Amino acid sequence: MISGGGTGGHIFPALSIANEVKRRLPQAQILFVGAEGRMEMERVPAAGYEIKGLPVAGFDRKNLLRNFKILAKLLRSMKMARNILKEFKPNVAVGVGGYASGPMLKECQKHDIPTLLQEQNSYAGVTNKLLAKKAQCICVAYEGMERFFPADKIVLTGNPVRRNLLECDATQQEAREAFGLNPDKRTVLIVGGSLGARTINDSIIAGLESIAANEDIQVIWQSGKIYDDRCREALESSQATNVKQMPFISNMDRAYRAADLVISRAGASSISELQLLGKASILVPSPNVAEDHQTKNAMALVNRNAALMIPDAEAVEKLVPVMLDTIAQEQVLEKLSENVGKMALHNAAEVIVDKLLQIAR
């Protein structure tokens, strides 16, 4: 059983773990448990796995009165989790974080089913911290996680990433041509996570004329579906013919391969991808996440000269000027690329599944 979700940062590692289990044990039965109405309810079935949804929701820190409804949903979720457990009878359970994993993993632990937690971020999530005491193993992506979890349960594995990103067979020139770009121009890839990022999009819109004036570079811009119309209209009314904008990039392997520099939020999956692919980046951490964990993720790279960071509140003013300055400096790009590549932890899914099968036995 694999439980958790809410964002791509939880879902992609969960699917990587499931795929590795299936690769080794084709007969294994795998059930996902997520939160109703969240991204996992679409992404997991699309990847070929069964999923059950719980009505669980995250606690509202701003409007405390809303938490009465959320508490009722939690109690209902715990009852449903008990029924799912009786029906599915897992040998082992994996929690990938997000509030969706709380009721299901808690129920597994109550019934002495061994549990493995996978924590993607450098600052541990509340759900994983609550579940850690009774977990058999906690797989992490950053050093120093003893401040959140029992040291004897921690295994440094890194975060699993989508296998196809690491297996791209295109050259950088071919990857650029696949996007209709000049194969010989330096290229910036702009991504705002699976749902897009308003601040990053606002920053690019504000800087379109500056980008247009730099004919030596070109840009691949994933705006996210909900911002697509606005970004497309802004681009059409600008002179920036060196920008390719789209709501969603399906061939991310080629997008990364095409890029000399990546502009991104600082979610755990994005950072793991940058490390494994050795990509220079400018990170704009989202301020809308628990415990400001994206800033902490980004600082883990910045402190090792493995990325640049611009705070969300300063991005509209600074992002495009810093981007244009950085892409023009080959030595800076090479140093960032070299340093971030040194931080990569390879074969995370394989190591996690090794541990998973060990505790299942």
Side-chain angles (χ1 to χ4, degrees), residues 61 135 138 162 168 180 185 187 213 233 238 242 292 308 323:
R61 298 173 194 208
I138 304 162
R162 293 166 279 183
C168 181
K185 280 190 182 180
T187 303
E233 286 163 14
S238 76
N242 55 343
D292 195 25
L308 304 178
M323 177 187 96

Side-chain angles (χ1 to χ4, degrees), residues 91-118:
N91 298 103
V92 64
V94 181
V96 294
Y99 51 77
S101 67
M104 198 67 248
L105 268 285
K106 194 77 182 163
E107 205 56 42
C108 289
Q109 290 179 345
K110 271 191 210 170
H111 289 81
D112 295 325
I113 291 159
T115 54
L116 177 146
L117 305 181
Q118 201 258 326

